[in-house]
């Protein structure tokens, strides 16, 4: 007997749940990086502060892409529902 394959993204809803978790993790990371940035500024570590600023910028970019992905997933779900209604 073969083991059942685990497929975490079997549906749009599963993927949306993952995107929500990812959004939360990005937000938490951004808050932590912002705190580290402020601490580096207070301790007169400009290169460290600059590196944290870059990390924060990259997290903002990632958050933007995830928001776009969420909108795309919502569009796909809506299209799926429209197609299901046409069939039924």
């Amino acid at each position: 007997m073969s083991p059942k394959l685990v497929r975490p993204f079997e549906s749009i809803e599963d993927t949306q749940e993952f995107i929500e978790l990812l959004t939360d993790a990005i937000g938490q990371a951004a808050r932590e990086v912002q705190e580290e940035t402020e601490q580096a500024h207070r301790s007169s570590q400009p290169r460290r502060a600059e590196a944290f600023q870059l990390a924060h910028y990259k997290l903002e970019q990632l958050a933007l892409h995830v928001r776009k992905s969420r909108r795309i997933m919502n569009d796909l779900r809506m299209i799926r529902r429209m197609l299901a209604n046409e069939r039924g």
Side-chain angles (χ1 to χ4, degrees):
M1 192 157 36
S2 65
K4 184 180 177 184
L5 293 176
V6 177
R7 296 177 55 177
F9 304 115
E10 288 187 1
S11 70
I12 292 172
E13 290 76 16
D14 290 344
T15 306
Q16 286 178 313
E17 184 178 333
F18 171 77
I19 288 174
E20 184 65 35
L21 293 171
L22 182 58
T23 300
D24 293 345
I26 292 168
Q28 177 64 33
R31 287 186 293 277
E32 290 173 7
V33 166
Q34 185 62 37
E35 290 172 11
E36 291 290 338
T37 303
E38 291 167 5
Q39 184 178 354
H41 277 298
R42 285 191 302 271
S43 358
S44 298
Q45 297 175 319
R47 286 187 51 84
R48 185 172 172 83
E50 202 173 281
F52 279 120
Q53 286 173 333
L54 178 59
H56 192 266
Y57 172 73
K58 291 298 183 178
L59 285 167
E60 287 176 347
Q61 284 184 315
L62 180 58
L64 176 65
H65 289 292
V66 170
R67 281 193 300 273
K68 289 178 182 180
S69 296
R70 178 184 287 161
R71 283 187 226 122
I72 291 168
M73 294 304 299
N74 287 337
D75 292 346
L76 288 171
R77 190 175 71 192
M78 182 180 66
I79 292 166
R80 183 187 64 190
R81 287 180 182 166
M82 289 170 52
L83 291 171
N85 285 339
E86 285 180 5
R87 283 189 232 148

Coordinates of all heavy atoms in Angstrom, one line a residue:
M1 N 0.8 -1.2 0.0 CA 0.0 0.0 0.0 C 0.9 1.2 0.0 O 1.8 1.4 0.8 CB -0.9 0.0 1.2 CG -2.0 1.0 1.1 SD -3.5 0.9 2.0 CE -3.3 0.2 3.6
S2 N 0.6 2.2 -0.9 CA 1.4 3.4 -1.0 C 0.9 4.5 -0.1 O -0.3 4.6 0.1 CB 1.5 3.9 -2.4 OG 0.2 4.3 -2.8
P3 N 1.8 5.2 0.6 CA 1.3 6.3 1.4 C 0.6 7.4 0.6 O 1.0 7.7 -0.5 CB 2.6 6.8 2.1 CG 3.7 6.4 1.2 CD 3.2 5.2 0.5
K4 N -0.4 8.0 1.2 CA -1.1 9.1 0.5 C -0.2 10.3 0.4 O 0.5 10.7 1.4 CB -2.4 9.4 1.3 CG -3.2 10.5 0.7 CD -4.4 10.8 1.5 CE -5.2 11.9 0.8 NZ -6.4 12.3 1.5
L5 N -0.2 10.9 -0.7 CA 0.6 12.1 -0.9 C -0.1 13.3 -0.3 O -1.3 13.4 -0.3 CB 0.7 12.4 -2.4 CG 1.6 11.4 -3.3 CD1 1.5 11.8 -4.7 CD2 3.0 11.4 -2.8
V6 N 0.7 14.1 0.4 CA 0.2 15.3 1.1 C 0.3 16.5 0.1 O 1.4 16.8 -0.4 CB 1.0 15.6 2.3 CG1 0.5 16.9 3.0 CG2 0.9 14.5 3.3
R7 N -0.8 17.1 -0.2 CA -0.8 18.2 -1.1 C -1.4 19.4 -0.4 O -2.7 19.5 -0.3 CB -1.7 17.9 -2.4 CG -1.0 16.7 -3.1 CD -1.8 16.3 -4.3 NE -2.1 17.5 -5.1 CZ -2.8 17.4 -6.3 NH1 -3.2 16.3 -6.7 NH2 -3.0 18.5 -7.0
P8 N -0.6 20.3 0.1 CA -1.1 21.4 1.0 C -1.9 22.4 0.2 O -2.7 23.2 0.8 CB 0.2 22.0 1.5 CG 1.2 21.6 0.6 CD 0.8 20.3 0.0
F9 N -1.8 22.5 -1.1 CA -2.6 23.5 -1.9 C -3.5 22.8 -2.8 O -3.5 23.1 -4.0 CB -1.6 24.4 -2.6 CG -0.6 25.1 -1.7 CD1 0.8 24.8 -1.8 CD2 -1.0 26.0 -0.7 CE1 1.7 25.4 -0.9 CE2 -0.1 26.6 0.1 CZ 1.2 26.3 0.0
E10 N -4.4 22.0 -2.3 CA -5.4 21.3 -3.2 C -6.5 22.2 -3.6 O -7.2 21.9 -4.6 CB -5.9 20.1 -2.5 CG -4.9 19.0 -2.3 CD -5.5 17.7 -1.8 OE1 -6.7 17.7 -1.5 OE2 -4.8 16.8 -1.6
S11 N -6.7 23.4 -3.0 CA -7.8 24.3 -3.4 C -7.3 25.7 -3.2 O -6.3 26.0 -2.6 CB -9.0 24.0 -2.5 OG -8.7 24.5 -1.2
I12 N -8.1 26.6 -3.8 CA -7.8 28.0 -3.7 C -7.9 28.5 -2.3 O -7.1 29.3 -1.8 CB -8.8 28.8 -4.6 CG1 -8.5 28.5 -6.1 CG2 -8.7 30.3 -4.4 CD1 -9.4 29.1 -7.1
E13 N -8.9 27.9 -1.6 CA -9.1 28.3 -0.2 C -7.8 27.9 0.7 O -7.4 28.6 1.6 CB -10.3 27.6 0.4 CG -11.6 28.2 -0.2 CD -12.0 27.8 -1.6 OE1 -11.4 26.8 -2.1 OE2 -12.8 28.4 -2.2
D14 N -7.3 26.7 0.4 CA -6.0 26.3 1.1 C -4.9 27.3 0.9 O -4.2 27.7 1.8 CB -5.6 24.9 0.7 CG -6.5 23.8 1.2 OD1 -7.3 24.1 2.1 OD2 -6.4 22.7 0.6
T15 N -4.8 27.7 -0.4 CA -3.8 28.7 -0.7 C -4.0 30.0 -0.1 O -3.1 30.7 0.4 CB -3.7 28.8 -2.3 OG1 -3.5 27.5 -2.9 CG2 -2.5 29.7 -2.7
Q16 N -5.3 30.5 0.0 CA -5.6 31.7 0.6 C -5.2 31.7 2.1 O -4.8 32.7 2.7 CB -7.1 32.1 0.4 CG -7.4 32.5 -1.0 CD -8.8 32.8 -1.2 OE1 -9.7 32.0 -0.8 NE2 -9.1 33.9 -1.8
E17 N -5.5 30.5 2.7 CA -5.1 30.4 4.1 C -3.6 30.5 4.3 O -3.1 31.2 5.2 CB -5.6 29.0 4.7 CG -5.3 28.8 6.1 CD -5.8 27.5 6.6 OE1 -6.8 26.9 6.0 OE2 -5.3 27.0 7.6
F18 N -2.8 29.9 3.4 CA -1.4 30.1 3.5 C -1.0 31.5 3.3 O -0.1 32.0 4.0 CB -0.7 29.2 2.4 CG 0.8 29.4 2.3 CD1 1.7 28.9 3.2 CD2 1.2 30.2 1.2 CE1 3.0 29.2 3.1 CE2 2.6 30.5 1.1 CZ 3.5 30.0 2.0
I19 N -1.6 32.2 2.3 CA -1.2 33.6 2.1 C -1.5 34.4 3.3 O -0.7 35.4 3.6 CB -2.0 34.1 0.8 CG1 -1.3 33.5 -0.4 CG2 -1.9 35.6 0.7 CD1 -2.1 33.8 -1.7
E20 N -2.6 34.1 4.0 CA -2.9 34.9 5.3 C -1.8 34.7 6.3 O -1.4 35.6 7.0 CB -4.3 34.4 5.8 CG -4.8 35.2 7.0 CD -5.0 36.7 6.7 OE1 -5.4 37.0 5.6 OE2 -4.7 37.5 7.6
L21 N -1.4 33.4 6.5 CA -0.3 33.1 7.4 C 1.0 33.8 7.0 O 1.7 34.4 7.9 CB -0.1 31.6 7.5 CG -1.2 30.8 8.1 CD1 -1.0 29.3 8.0 CD2 -1.4 31.2 9.6
L22 N 1.3 33.8 5.7 CA 2.5 34.5 5.2 C 2.4 36.0 5.5 O 3.4 36.6 5.9 CB 2.6 34.2 3.7 CG 3.9 34.8 3.0 CD1 5.2 34.3 3.7 CD2 3.9 34.4 1.6
T23 N 1.2 36.6 5.3 CA 1.0 38.0 5.5 C 1.3 38.3 7.0 O 2.0 39.3 7.3 CB -0.4 38.4 5.1 OG1 -0.6 38.2 3.7 CG2 -0.6 39.9 5.4
D24 N 0.8 37.5 7.9 CA 1.1 37.7 9.3 C 2.5 37.6 9.6 O 3.1 38.4 10.4 CB 0.3 36.7 10.2 CG -1.2 36.9 10.1 OD1 -1.7 38.0 9.6 OD2 -2.0 36.0 10.4
A25 N 3.2 36.6 9.1 CA 4.6 36.4 9.3 C 5.5 37.6 8.8 O 6.4 38.0 9.5 CB 5.1 35.1 8.7
I26 N 5.1 38.1 7.6 CA 5.8 39.2 7.1 C 5.7 40.5 8.0 O 6.6 41.2 8.2 CB 5.4 39.5 5.6 CG1 5.8 38.4 4.7 CG2 5.9 40.9 5.1 CD1 5.1 38.4 3.3
G27 N 4.4 40.7 8.4 CA 4.2 41.8 9.3 C 5.0 41.7 10.6 O 5.6 42.7 11.0
Q28 N 5.0 40.6 11.2 CA 5.8 40.4 12.4 C 7.3 40.6 12.1 O 8.0 41.3 12.9 CB 5.6 38.9 12.9 CG 6.4 38.6 14.2 CD 6.0 39.5 15.4 OE1 4.9 39.9 15.5 NE2 7.0 39.8 16.2
A29 N 7.8 40.1 11.1 CA 9.2 40.3 10.7 C 9.5 41.7 10.5 O 10.5 42.2 10.9 CB 9.6 39.4 9.5
A30 N 8.6 42.4 9.8 CA 8.8 43.9 9.5 C 8.9 44.7 10.9 O 9.7 45.6 11.0 CB 7.7 44.4 8.6
R31 N 8.0 44.3 11.8 CA 8.0 45.0 13.1 C 9.4 44.7 13.8 O 9.9 45.7 14.4 CB 6.8 44.6 14.0 CG 5.5 45.1 13.5 CD 4.4 44.8 14.4 NE 4.1 43.4 14.5 CZ 3.3 42.8 13.6 NH1 2.7 43.4 12.6 NH2 3.0 41.5 13.7
E32 N 9.8 43.5 13.8 CA 11.1 43.2 14.5 C 12.3 43.9 13.8 O 13.1 44.4 14.5 CB 11.3 41.7 14.4 CG 10.3 40.9 15.3 CD 10.4 39.4 15.2 OE1 11.3 38.9 14.5 OE2 9.6 38.7 15.8
V33 N 12.3 43.9 12.5 CA 13.3 44.6 11.7 C 13.3 46.1 12.1 O 14.4 46.7 12.2 CB 13.2 44.3 10.2 CG1 14.1 45.3 9.4 CG2 13.6 42.9 9.9
Q34 N 12.1 46.7 12.1 CA 12.0 48.1 12.5 C 12.6 48.4 13.9 O 13.3 49.4 14.1 CB 10.6 48.6 12.4 CG 10.4 50.0 12.6 CD 11.1 50.9 11.5 OE1 11.1 50.5 10.4 NE2 11.6 52.0 11.9
E35 N 12.3 47.5 14.8 CA 12.9 47.7 16.2 C 14.4 47.6 16.1 O 15.1 48.4 16.8 CB 12.3 46.6 17.1 CG 10.8 46.8 17.4 CD 10.3 45.6 18.2 OE1 11.0 44.7 18.7 OE2 9.0 45.6 18.3
E36 N 14.9 46.6 15.4 CA 16.4 46.5 15.2 C 17.0 47.7 14.6 O 18.1 48.1 15.0 CB 16.7 45.2 14.5 CG 16.4 43.9 15.2 CD 17.3 43.6 16.4 OE1 18.4 44.2 16.4 OE2 16.9 42.9 17.2
T37 N 16.3 48.2 13.6 CA 16.8 49.5 12.9 C 16.9 50.6 13.9 O 17.9 51.3 14.0 CB 15.8 49.9 11.8 OG1 15.7 48.8 10.9 CG2 16.4 51.1 11.1
E38 N 15.9 50.8 14.7 CA 15.9 51.9 15.7 C 17.0 51.6 16.8 O 17.7 52.6 17.2 CB 14.5 52.0 16.4 CG 13.5 52.5 15.4 CD 12.0 52.3 16.0 OE1 11.9 51.8 17.1 OE2 11.1 52.6 15.2
Q39 N 17.2 50.4 17.2 CA 18.2 50.1 18.1 C 19.6 50.4 17.6 O 20.5 50.9 18.2 CB 18.1 48.6 18.6 CG 19.1 48.3 19.7 CD 18.9 46.8 20.1 OE1 18.0 46.1 19.7 NE2 19.8 46.4 21.0
A40 N 19.8 50.0 16.3 CA 21.1 50.3 15.7 C 21.4 51.8 15.5 O 22.5 52.2 15.7 CB 21.1 49.6 14.3
H41 N 20.3 52.5 15.3 CA 20.5 54.0 15.2 C 20.9 54.5 16.6 O 21.8 55.4 16.7 CB 19.2 54.7 14.7 CG 19.0 54.7 13.3 ND1 19.9 55.4 12.4 CD2 18.1 54.2 12.5 CE1 19.5 55.2 11.2 NE2 18.4 54.5 11.2
R42 N 20.2 54.0 17.6 CA 20.5 54.5 19.0 C 21.9 54.1 19.4 O 22.6 54.9 20.2 CB 19.5 53.9 20.0 CG 18.1 54.6 19.9 CD 17.3 54.2 21.1 NE 17.1 52.7 21.2 CZ 16.1 52.1 20.6 NH1 15.2 52.7 19.9 NH2 16.0 50.8 20.8
S43 N 22.4 53.0 18.9 CA 23.8 52.5 19.3 C 24.8 53.0 18.4 O 26.0 52.5 18.4 CB 23.9 51.0 19.4 OG 22.8 50.3 19.2
S44 N 24.5 54.0 17.5 CA 25.5 54.5 16.6 C 26.1 53.5 15.7 O 27.4 53.4 15.6 CB 26.5 55.4 17.3 OG 25.9 56.4 18.0
Q45 N 25.3 52.6 15.1 CA 25.8 51.6 14.2 C 25.2 51.9 12.8 O 24.2 51.2 12.4 CB 25.5 50.2 14.7 CG 26.1 49.9 16.0 CD 25.7 48.5 16.5 OE1 24.5 48.2 16.5 NE2 26.6 47.8 17.1
P46 N 25.7 52.8 12.1 CA 25.0 53.2 10.9 C 25.0 52.1 9.8 O 24.0 52.0 9.1 CB 25.8 54.4 10.4 CG 27.1 54.4 11.1 CD 26.9 53.6 12.4
R47 N 26.0 51.3 9.7 CA 26.0 50.3 8.6 C 25.0 49.2 9.0 O 24.3 48.7 8.1 CB 27.4 49.6 8.5 CG 28.3 50.6 7.7 CD 29.6 50.0 7.4 NE 29.6 48.7 6.7 CZ 29.5 48.5 5.4 NH1 29.3 49.5 4.6 NH2 29.5 47.2 4.9
R48 N 24.9 48.9 10.3 CA 23.9 47.9 10.7 C 22.5 48.5 10.5 O 21.6 47.7 10.0 CB 24.1 47.6 12.2 CG 23.3 46.5 12.8 CD 23.8 46.1 14.2 NE 22.8 45.2 14.8 CZ 22.8 43.9 14.7 NH1 23.7 43.3 13.8 NH2 22.0 43.2 15.3
A49 N 22.3 49.7 10.8 CA 21.0 50.4 10.7 C 20.6 50.4 9.2 O 19.4 50.1 8.8 CB 21.0 51.8 11.2
E50 N 21.6 50.6 8.3 CA 21.4 50.7 6.9 C 21.0 49.3 6.4 O 20.0 49.1 5.6 CB 22.6 51.1 6.2 CG 22.4 51.7 4.8 CD 23.7 52.3 4.3 OE1 24.1 53.4 4.7 OE2 24.4 51.6 3.5
A51 N 21.6 48.2 6.9 CA 21.3 46.9 6.5 C 19.8 46.5 6.9 O 19.1 45.9 6.2 CB 22.3 45.9 7.1
F52 N 19.5 46.9 8.1 CA 18.1 46.7 8.6 C 17.1 47.5 7.8 O 16.0 47.0 7.5 CB 17.9 47.0 10.1 CG 18.4 45.8 10.9 CD1 19.4 46.0 11.9 CD2 17.8 44.6 10.9 CE1 19.9 45.0 12.7 CE2 18.3 43.5 11.7 CZ 19.3 43.8 12.6
Q53 N 17.4 48.7 7.4 CA 16.6 49.5 6.5 C 16.3 48.8 5.2 O 15.2 48.8 4.7 CB 17.1 50.9 6.3 CG 17.0 51.8 7.5 CD 17.7 53.1 7.3 OE1 18.7 53.2 6.6 NE2 17.2 54.1 8.0
L54 N 17.4 48.2 4.6 CA 17.3 47.5 3.4 C 16.4 46.2 3.6 O 15.5 46.0 2.7 CB 18.6 47.1 2.9 CG 18.6 46.2 1.6 CD1 18.0 47.0 0.4 CD2 20.1 45.9 1.2
A55 N 16.6 45.5 4.7 CA 15.7 44.4 5.0 C 14.3 44.8 5.1 O 13.4 44.1 4.6 CB 16.2 43.7 6.2
H56 N 14.0 45.9 5.8 CA 12.6 46.4 5.9 C 12.0 46.7 4.6 O 10.9 46.4 4.3 CB 12.6 47.6 6.8 CG 11.3 48.0 7.3 ND1 10.5 48.9 6.6 CD2 10.5 47.5 8.3 CE1 9.3 49.0 7.2 NE2 9.3 48.2 8.2
Y57 N 12.8 47.4 3.7 CA 12.3 47.7 2.4 C 12.0 46.4 1.6 O 10.9 46.4 0.9 CB 13.4 48.5 1.6 CG 13.1 48.7 0.2 CD1 12.1 49.6 -0.3 CD2 13.8 48.0 -0.8 CE1 11.8 49.8 -1.6 CE2 13.5 48.2 -2.2 CZ 12.5 49.1 -2.5 OH 12.3 49.2 -3.9
K58 N 12.8 45.4 1.7 CA 12.6 44.2 1.0 C 11.3 43.5 1.5 O 10.5 42.9 0.8 CB 13.8 43.2 1.1 CG 15.0 43.7 0.3 CD 14.6 43.8 -1.2 CE 15.8 44.2 -2.1 NZ 15.4 44.2 -3.5
L59 N 11.1 43.6 2.8 CA 9.9 43.0 3.4 C 8.6 43.7 2.9 O 7.6 43.1 2.7 CB 10.0 43.0 5.0 CG 10.9 42.0 5.6 CD1 11.1 42.3 7.1 CD2 10.2 40.6 5.4
E60 N 8.8 45.1 2.8 CA 7.6 45.8 2.2 C 7.3 45.4 0.8 O 6.2 45.3 0.4 CB 8.0 47.3 2.3 CG 7.9 47.9 3.6 CD 8.3 49.4 3.6 OE1 8.9 49.9 2.6 OE2 8.1 50.1 4.7
Q61 N 8.4 45.2 0.0 CA 8.2 44.7 -1.4 C 7.5 43.3 -1.3 O 6.6 43.1 -2.1 CB 9.5 44.5 -2.1 CG 10.1 45.8 -2.6 CD 11.4 45.6 -3.4 OE1 12.2 44.8 -3.0 NE2 11.5 46.3 -4.5
L62 N 7.9 42.4 -0.5 CA 7.3 41.1 -0.4 C 5.9 41.2 0.0 O 5.0 40.5 -0.5 CB 8.1 40.3 0.6 CG 7.6 38.8 0.9 CD1 7.6 38.0 -0.4 CD2 8.4 38.1 1.9
A63 N 5.6 42.1 1.0 CA 4.2 42.3 1.4 C 3.3 42.8 0.3 O 2.2 42.3 0.1 CB 4.1 43.3 2.6
L64 N 3.9 43.6 -0.6 CA 3.1 44.1 -1.7 C 2.8 43.0 -2.7 O 1.7 42.8 -3.2 CB 3.9 45.2 -2.4 CG 3.3 45.8 -3.7 CD1 2.0 46.5 -3.5 CD2 4.3 46.7 -4.4
H65 N 3.8 42.2 -3.0 CA 3.6 41.0 -3.9 C 2.6 40.0 -3.3 O 1.8 39.5 -4.0 CB 4.9 40.3 -4.2 CG 5.8 41.1 -5.0 ND1 5.6 41.4 -6.3 CD2 7.0 41.7 -4.7 CE1 6.6 42.1 -6.9 NE2 7.4 42.4 -5.9
V66 N 2.6 39.8 -2.0 CA 1.7 38.9 -1.4 C 0.2 39.5 -1.5 O -0.7 38.8 -1.7 CB 2.1 38.6 0.1 CG1 1.0 37.8 0.8 CG2 3.4 37.8 0.1
R67 N 0.1 40.8 -1.3 CA -1.2 41.4 -1.4 C -1.7 41.3 -2.8 O -2.9 41.0 -3.0 CB -1.2 42.9 -1.0 CG -1.2 43.2 0.4 CD -1.4 44.6 0.8 NE -0.4 45.6 0.3 CZ 0.7 45.9 0.9 NH1 1.0 45.4 2.0 NH2 1.6 46.7 0.3
K68 N -0.9 41.4 -3.8 CA -1.3 41.2 -5.2 C -1.7 39.8 -5.4 O -2.7 39.5 -6.1 CB -0.1 41.6 -6.1 CG 0.1 43.1 -6.2 CD 1.3 43.4 -7.2 CE 1.6 44.8 -7.2 NZ 2.8 45.1 -8.1
S69 N -0.9 38.9 -4.9 CA -1.3 37.4 -5.0 C -2.6 37.1 -4.4 O -3.4 36.4 -4.9 CB -0.2 36.6 -4.3 OG 1.0 36.7 -5.0
R70 N -2.9 37.8 -3.2 CA -4.2 37.6 -2.6 C -5.3 38.0 -3.5 O -6.3 37.3 -3.6 CB -4.3 38.3 -1.3 CG -5.6 38.2 -0.6 CD -5.7 39.0 0.7 NE -4.9 38.4 1.7 CZ -4.4 39.0 2.8 NH1 -4.7 40.3 3.0 NH2 -3.7 38.4 3.7
R71 N -5.1 39.2 -4.1 CA -6.2 39.7 -5.1 C -6.4 38.7 -6.2 O -7.5 38.5 -6.7 CB -5.8 41.1 -5.6 CG -6.1 42.1 -4.5 CD -5.9 43.5 -5.1 NE -5.1 44.3 -4.2 CZ -4.0 44.9 -4.4 NH1 -3.4 44.9 -5.6 NH2 -3.3 45.5 -3.4
I72 N -5.3 38.2 -6.7 CA -5.3 37.3 -7.9 C -6.1 36.0 -7.4 O -6.9 35.5 -8.2 CB -3.9 36.9 -8.4 CG1 -3.3 38.1 -9.1 CG2 -4.0 35.7 -9.4 CD1 -1.8 38.0 -9.4
M73 N -5.8 35.5 -6.2 CA -6.5 34.3 -5.7 C -8.0 34.6 -5.6 O -8.8 33.7 -5.9 CB -5.9 33.9 -4.4 CG -4.5 33.4 -4.5 SD -4.3 32.0 -5.6 CE -5.3 30.8 -5.0
N74 N -8.3 35.8 -5.1 CA -9.8 36.1 -5.0 C -10.4 36.2 -6.4 O -11.6 35.7 -6.5 CB -9.9 37.5 -4.3 CG -9.7 37.4 -2.8 OD1 -9.7 36.4 -2.2 ND2 -9.3 38.6 -2.2
D75 N -9.7 36.7 -7.4 CA -10.2 36.7 -8.7 C -10.5 35.3 -9.2 O -11.5 35.0 -9.9 CB -9.3 37.5 -9.7 CG -9.2 39.0 -9.4 OD1 -10.1 39.5 -8.7 OD2 -8.3 39.6 -9.9
L76 N -9.5 34.4 -9.0 CA -9.6 33.1 -9.5 C -10.8 32.3 -8.8 O -11.5 31.6 -9.4 CB -8.3 32.3 -9.2 CG -7.1 32.7 -10.1 CD1 -5.9 32.0 -9.6 CD2 -7.4 32.3 -11.5
R77 N -11.0 32.6 -7.5 CA -12.1 32.0 -6.8 C -13.4 32.5 -7.4 O -14.3 31.7 -7.6 CB -12.0 32.3 -5.3 CG -13.0 31.5 -4.5 CD -12.8 31.7 -3.0 NE -13.3 33.1 -2.7 CZ -13.1 33.7 -1.6 NH1 -12.4 33.2 -0.7 NH2 -13.5 34.9 -1.4
M78 N -13.5 33.8 -7.7 CA -14.7 34.3 -8.3 C -15.0 33.7 -9.7 O -16.1 33.4 -10.0 CB -14.6 35.9 -8.4 CG -15.8 36.5 -8.9 SD -15.7 38.3 -9.1 CE -14.4 38.4 -10.3
I79 N -13.9 33.6 -10.5 CA -14.1 33.0 -11.8 C -14.5 31.5 -11.7 O -15.4 31.1 -12.4 CB -12.7 33.1 -12.6 CG1 -12.5 34.6 -12.9 CG2 -12.8 32.2 -13.8 CD1 -11.0 34.8 -13.4
R80 N -14.0 30.8 -10.7 CA -14.4 29.4 -10.5 C -15.8 29.4 -10.2 O -16.6 28.5 -10.7 CB -13.5 28.8 -9.4 CG -13.9 27.3 -9.2 CD -13.2 26.7 -8.0 NE -13.6 27.4 -6.8 CZ -13.0 27.3 -5.6 NH1 -12.0 26.5 -5.5 NH2 -13.5 27.9 -4.6
R81 N -16.3 30.3 -9.3 CA -17.7 30.3 -8.9 C -18.6 30.6 -10.1 O -19.7 30.0 -10.3 CB -18.0 31.3 -7.8 CG -17.4 30.8 -6.5 CD -17.7 31.8 -5.4 NE -17.1 31.3 -4.1 CZ -17.0 32.1 -3.1 NH1 -17.3 33.4 -3.1 NH2 -16.4 31.6 -2.0
M82 N -18.2 31.6 -10.9 CA -18.9 31.9 -12.1 C -19.1 30.7 -13.1 O -20.1 30.4 -13.6 CB -18.3 33.1 -12.8 CG -18.4 34.4 -12.1 SD -17.4 35.8 -12.8 CE -17.9 35.8 -14.5
L83 N -18.0 30.0 -13.3 CA -18.0 28.9 -14.2 C -18.8 27.8 -13.6 O -19.5 27.1 -14.3 CB -16.5 28.4 -14.4 CG -15.7 29.3 -15.3 CD1 -14.2 28.8 -15.3 CD2 -16.2 29.5 -16.7
A84 N -18.8 27.6 -12.3 CA -19.6 26.5 -11.7 C -21.1 26.8 -11.8 O -21.9 25.9 -12.0 CB -19.2 26.4 -10.2
N85 N -21.4 28.1 -11.7 CA -22.8 28.5 -11.9 C -23.3 28.3 -13.3 O -24.5 28.0 -13.6 CB -23.1 30.0 -11.5 CG -23.0 30.2 -10.0 OD1 -23.2 29.2 -9.2 ND2 -22.8 31.4 -9.6
E86 N -22.4 28.5 -14.3 CA -22.8 28.3 -15.7 C -23.1 26.8 -16.0 O -23.9 26.5 -16.7 CB -21.7 28.8 -16.6 CG -21.6 30.3 -16.8 CD -20.5 30.7 -17.7 OE1 -19.8 29.8 -18.3 OE2 -20.3 31.9 -17.8
R87 N -22.3 25.9 -15.3 CA -22.5 24.5 -15.5 C -23.7 24.0 -14.8 O -24.4 23.1 -15.3 CB -21.3 23.7 -14.9 CG -20.1 23.8 -15.8 CD -19.0 22.8 -15.3 NE -17.8 23.6 -15.2 CZ -16.9 23.3 -14.3 NH1 -17.0 22.4 -13.4 NH2 -15.8 24.0 -14.3
G88 N -24.1 24.6 -13.7 CA -25.2 24.2 -12.9 C -26.5 24.8 -13.3 O -27.3 24.6 -14.0

